[in-house]
Amino acid sequence: MKIAIIIIMICYYRDIQELNISKTSINDLSPLTGLNKLQKIDISAIPATDFSVLGKLLQLEELKAVDVNLTDLSFLAKLSKLKTLKLQSTGLNNITS
């Protein structure tokens, strides 16, 4: 029930600038696509495995991802306004490619 409420809120509040969905059961980040004003997000400790949608959040300035299964950082290339990136305890083995 808590997850459904969060998803509904995300769909209706497109002007959100900060969002903390850490420690929730959210495994689908696609509802974030329309959050064009989002500047800060914390996705720590969520079960999602596809983070590509974050590459569509072009106003994003801060991303925190701790204890997530993040193995591909290619979406970061699109985030030209990103100033702060905190990654810890992810599935990353190599960040050079």
Side-chain angles (χ1 to χ4, degrees):
M1 183 73 162
K2 182 178 180 181
I3 301 306
I5 292 170
I6 292 171
I7 297 300
I8 289 169
M9 287 177 55
I10 290 171
C11 292
Y12 286 103
Y13 295 102
R14 299 291 183 188
D15 291 335
I16 291 175
Q17 293 180 350
E18 294 185 22
L19 183 63
N20 184 336
I21 57 172
S22 65
K23 299 179 184 177
T24 64
S25 298
I26 294 177
N27 59 7
D28 178 12
L29 298 178
S30 62
L32 302 179
T33 302
L35 299 181
N36 299 326
K37 296 182 180 181
L38 194 65
Q39 296 175 351
K40 181 178 179 179
I41 189 166
D42 185 345
I43 57 167
S44 299
I46 63 170
T49 56
D50 181 5
F51 298 94
S52 60
V53 71
L54 297 177
K56 297 178 182 178
L57 304 176
L58 302 180
Q59 299 303 313
L60 204 61
E61 296 178 3
E62 185 174 329
L63 170 61
K64 181 178 179 182
V66 176
D67 293 325
V68 293
N69 187 21
L70 180 60
T71 57
D72 180 12
L73 294 178
S74 60
F75 67 88
L76 292 176
K78 300 173 186 173
L79 302 178
S80 61
K81 295 188 177 188
L82 193 66
K83 297 175 184 174
T84 304
L85 175 63
K86 180 175 183 180
L87 300 176
Q88 183 178 337
S89 300
T90 67
L92 288 171
N93 293 322
N94 183 353
I95 61 170
T96 59
S97 53

